[in-house]
Amino acid sequence: MINPKTKKGFTLIELLIGITIFVVFMGVVAQSYISIVRSFRQQNEIRKVYGEVRDFMDFLAEEARLSAVDYSCYDTGVSSCIEPDLSLNQGFTDTIVLRNKNGLEQTVISFDENVTVQKWEKQSGTWILQDGYTEAIQ
């Protein structure tokens, strides 16, 4: 017969203490992992915003390079603008009208709560808003 005092093994209390230490350790590791994942997600969102801003600034630079500001839209009484309700002749400076070098395309960029970009094309003497080119950027 085997003597119970010579048996080697863990007691119930030793197992409970070991499991408790393991659970606490896993909780710390899980919390660290969740924190790291949350941080990566926030950084990705920030990267997306910076990317969108960079794309928009590239768009503005390209438009400015290929076009010129249509100053006639800012003169009082001139009706060469694409929209009579732009109110550019009232001294507002929250809208930029860029006319392409050929004079057949205009880009209207409005800065208010959002940035609105519209591309217009002159067809048969009438300005027509191009489909897919009205965009509001928040």
Side-chain angles (χ1 to χ4, degrees):
M1 192 163 182
I2 300 176
N3 187 358
K5 296 203 182 225
T6 60
K7 274 189 177 178
K8 302 211 179 198
F10 297 106
T11 64
L12 182 59
I13 293 181
E14 290 172 335
L15 284 175
L16 289 176
I17 291 173
I19 290 173
T20 303
I21 291 172
F22 178 74
V23 167
V24 168
F25 175 74
M26 289 306 293
V28 170
V29 169
Q31 188 63 29
S32 297
Y33 176 76
I34 290 170
S35 175
I36 290 170
V37 168
R38 187 176 298 131
S39 175
F40 279 137
R41 284 184 184 159
Q42 289 173 346
Q43 291 301 317
N44 282 338
E45 292 298 320
I46 291 171
R47 251 184 248 119
K48 284 180 188 178
V49 169
Y50 281 137
E52 290 173 5
V53 169
R54 189 174 37 253
D55 290 344
F56 180 68
M57 294 305 289
D58 289 343
F59 167 78
L60 284 180
E62 185 71 17
E63 285 296 317
R65 204 172 15 257
L66 297 175
S67 305
V69 175
D70 189 0
Y71 290 106
S72 64
C73 291
Y74 299 90
D75 295 335
T76 305
V78 176
S79 62
S80 68
C81 281
I82 54 173
E83 290 184 272
D85 61 343
L86 277 178
S87 303
L88 296 177
N89 58 356
Q90 297 177 3
F92 295 119
T93 58
D94 61 349
T95 302
I96 298 172
V97 180
L98 299 172
R99 186 172 290 205
N100 198 309
K101 306 255 192 266
N102 63 11
L104 299 177
E105 292 180 1
Q106 280 188 340
T107 302
V108 178
I109 304 167
S110 301
F111 300 93
D112 44 16
E113 289 109 27
N114 299 325
V115 178
T116 306
V117 178
Q118 295 179 331
K119 282 193 153 256
W120 295 78
E121 186 176 342
K122 196 169 195 177
Q123 296 176 356
S124 304
T126 306
W127 289 106
I128 298 173
L129 180 64
Q130 294 180 4
D131 290 334
Y133 280 102
T134 299
E135 186 173 340
I137 302 168
Q138 297 181 352

